[in-house]
Amino acid sequence: MKYPIGIQNFGEIREGGYVYVDKTPQMWKMISEGKYYFLSRPRRFGKSLMVSTLEAFFSGKREWFKGLYADTVEWDWQQYPILHIDLNVQKYEAKEDLYKVLNRHLEQWEQAYDSPYGERDVEERFLQVVRLAYEKTGRQVVILIDEYDKPLLQAIGNEPLQSAYRSVLKPFYGVLKSCDRYIKFAFLTGVTKFGKVSVFSDLNNLIDLSMDYRFATICGISEDELHKNFDESVVALAQANKLSTEACYERLRNDFDGYHFDVDAPGMYNPFSVLNTLSSCRFRDYWFETGTPTILVYQLQKTSYPLEMMTREELFEDTLNSIDVMDENPLPLLYQSGYLTIKGYDPMFKTYTLGFPNREVEEGFVKFLVPFYSPNKQEKPQMFISRFVKDVTSGNAEGFMQRVERFFDGGDYQLAGKAELYFQNTLWVLFKLLGLYVDVERYTTDGRMDILVRTPDYVYILELKIDQSADIALRQIEEKQYAKSFEGGSRIIYKIGVNFSSTTRRITEWKVK
């Protein structure tokens, strides 16, 4: 089987004999029932291939659709004028970079449709191209814009530059509304949705498919599609990794499944990781390795966000589906970028809760956070955590706490931000990282224990205090009877009281009982 890894051209996939998961039923539903659409999905999730497939459809390339659902529909299979813009091809460091990309497309279209308006503003030139394409061909125009938000995403943290990009893109995209009578179909993709006061504020005619249950499976690979298209490949993968077929499917599910784009929608596999795994017959974190979420960490730190709230905070849909609030809350950006996904929904209050979609994302993201939140820059995280896990699993409580203490050493006690949040976020990263290897739970309210660590042979109960004492922490463990449910079992119980100084931002005292 040939896997289309890195190939985003539909024609090349079909002519080259690569496997193609048929998404044309959903695309035909779009084409036959509406006109203007927007879709947000994480990077490398198949958006560009979808745009290429739509371009082939409106180009009348019926031979490429043989054997697919689209070949069975009633369609004229004629060539429509197509204006395709891909903003993913440029690194945007200045306003001129955006103009360079737009000019390249506009000049090509102006030559094709004999437009004499090349000296005007880009939005006026775009409008005239759409009109002339319609008048010269006698057919309405198809407009496809891939990664519409790339310049805006690259300018996060640089408000003057982002504002400059918005001032260009807002009227440019506004042409879709002012040229309605000339347009047959329009489709925009991106990672995020800049709405309300941004580039989409005038485009209220766009149908947003991003959280539409009917189109939840339009990108990515569903469980049914995995079995329908790749059963033989999974058997080969299982054999190569000395797994049963059932265990191999379970590992694929655990590593790469779990993306939910609606609360009732089926989980979707990351197509990039799945295809690379099946092709190489080796499990690796392929998606996470292709990009680093530095901008996401920047937003988490900029907003002083408490990390443990990432999977506990409740969000309304209009907040979740737009990143205009990201200066106050980074979660919409984390969700739309694919690092968090929908885990729950409260129908009474119409709020969503989020969580990591799968092991690849959770483990990769937590490990990526370590150098940003760890005060100690001396030890490499992987080596540090391996020694940490050995102490925990062998019952070395003293060594365990010495490593916790050292995790805070070496930091600048003058670091900006609230000491309590600093302490909580650093501990969240530390114990989340530890939780990748042993059973760790964090509790922070309602009088419950702060941290519980469990292994087959040991139980560690940690109570944390700020500017108090380890004895006060231990007293609370006893008074609240945190250890009661574990007494009488075979596991050894360690009760640990910890005190943190808000002045020095270090652990000043800890005791093990």
Side-chain angles (χ1 to χ4, degrees), residues 313-362:
E313 184 176 356
E314 296 183 342
L315 299 173
F316 291 104
E317 182 173 340
D318 59 347
T319 300
L320 188 61
N321 207 22
S322 175
I323 64 169
D324 295 320
V325 296
M326 68 182 177
D327 284 340
E328 294 81 33
N329 192 332
L331 293 196
L333 183 59
L334 282 163
Y335 164 69
Q336 294 180 29
S337 301
Y339 294 92
L340 295 175
T341 194
I342 295 170
K343 289 293 186 177
Y345 179 71
D346 186 331
M348 178 178 292
F349 298 102
K350 298 182 179 179
T351 55
Y352 293 84
T353 52
L354 306 177
F356 294 105
N358 51 51
R359 184 213 54 81
E360 176 186 19
V361 176
E362 180 174 13

Side-chain angles (χ1 to χ4, degrees), residues 122-136:
V122 288
E123 65 270 19
E124 175 66 16
R125 292 167 63 190
F126 188 28
L127 184 150
Q128 296 299 339
V129 163
V130 173
R131 178 182 64 83
L132 289 169
Y134 168 72
E135 292 177 352
K136 288 184 175 294

Side-chain angles (χ1 to χ4, degrees), residues 98-112:
L98 177 56
Y99 276 121
K100 185 187 302 181
V101 174
L102 295 180
N103 279 325
R104 185 162 61 241
H105 287 93
L106 287 166
E107 289 168 0
Q108 179 182 349
W109 300 333
E110 285 164 346
Q111 183 176 358

